[in-house]
Amino acid sequence: MIRSNHTVTFILLLIAQILLCNFFTFSQYLLLTFLPAMILFLPIKQNTVISLFIAFAAGFAVDFLSDGMLGLSSLSLVPVAFCRRSIIRLVFGSEVLARGENLSIPKNGIPHIFTGIILSTAIFLAIYIWADGAGMRPVWFNLTKFAASLILSSLISVIITLTMTQDDR
């Protein structure tokens, strides 16, 4: 299960994401999110099924408590939780999963952390922008929104990751 200090941090970051969605809408070309990083950095020992439920609940909470379409964040966040172990295996190696050690910047380094965040955020944004546009927006708009959102969300997520990860030595 999730440790209590991780649970409190997760809930506080979820509240921060809800506030970000409600009060800081910068442009129609930009979607700032750190939800994918929150799911990626759940404890390694976390079961995939439990991660799926956490992703669904977090996405639902963000949509319900902000002005988003209900279910859109859940639709986009559940595949991130589903791909979480594959991303960890691809970026950080199988030994991280075998040892059961949590991800952190001191242990894994910023390049690996940034790569994992980019992959998880790209999955989230691709689904979110595709479902949000429902084929009604031009491709150039969707690509611009995807690129701008990926860059800024990934940078913010790396900063957020410092609060979510701890070195367990």
Side-chain angles (χ1 to χ4, degrees):
M1 240 27 234
I2 300 176
R3 295 180 317 208
S4 63
N5 61 347
H6 191 277
T7 303
V8 170
T9 304
F10 190 90
I11 291 170
L12 289 174
L13 287 172
L14 188 62
I15 292 169
Q17 179 68 55
I18 292 167
L19 292 173
L20 182 70
C21 290
N22 280 330
F23 299 111
F24 298 103
T25 308
F26 299 106
S27 167
Q28 65 180 346
Y29 294 103
L30 186 61
L31 170 67
L32 290 178
T33 183
F34 44 85
L35 288 172
M38 291 171 56
I39 296 301
L40 182 67
F41 287 94
L42 287 173
I44 290 291
K45 294 179 182 177
Q46 192 71 36
N47 185 333
T48 300
V49 175
I50 300 298
S51 297
L52 292 170
F53 282 116
I54 291 170
F56 178 81
F60 187 81
V62 168
D63 288 339
F64 187 74
L65 297 173
S66 65
D67 58 355
M69 263 194 298
L70 196 57
L72 189 58
S73 292
S74 293
L75 172 73
S76 306
L77 201 55
V78 167
V80 172
F82 184 74
C83 296
R84 178 175 167 259
R85 288 198 172 270
S86 298
I87 292 171
I88 291 170
R89 194 173 290 111
L90 176 72
V91 175
F92 302 101
S94 300
E95 54 276 349
V96 171
L97 293 171
R99 287 190 302 250
E101 63 184 28
N102 291 329
L103 304 175
S104 69
I105 290 177
K107 286 182 189 174
N108 305 107
I110 290 181
H112 285 110
I113 297 290
F114 195 63
T115 303
I117 288 173
I118 286 176
L119 288 173
S120 61
T121 305
I123 292 168
F124 177 85
L125 289 173
I127 296 168
Y128 191 98
I129 292 169
W130 172 77
D132 188 37
M136 302 303 287
R137 294 193 179 128
V139 174
W140 68 266
F141 177 86
N142 288 339
L143 290 176
T144 303
K145 184 172 185 173
F146 178 82
S149 299
L150 181 63
I151 292 167
L152 287 175
S153 292
S154 296
L155 291 173
I156 289 172
S157 293
V158 168
I159 295 167
I160 295 295
T161 300
L162 291 171
T163 63
M164 287 192 66
T165 61
Q166 296 176 353
D167 198 11
D168 295 330
R169 292 181 205 170

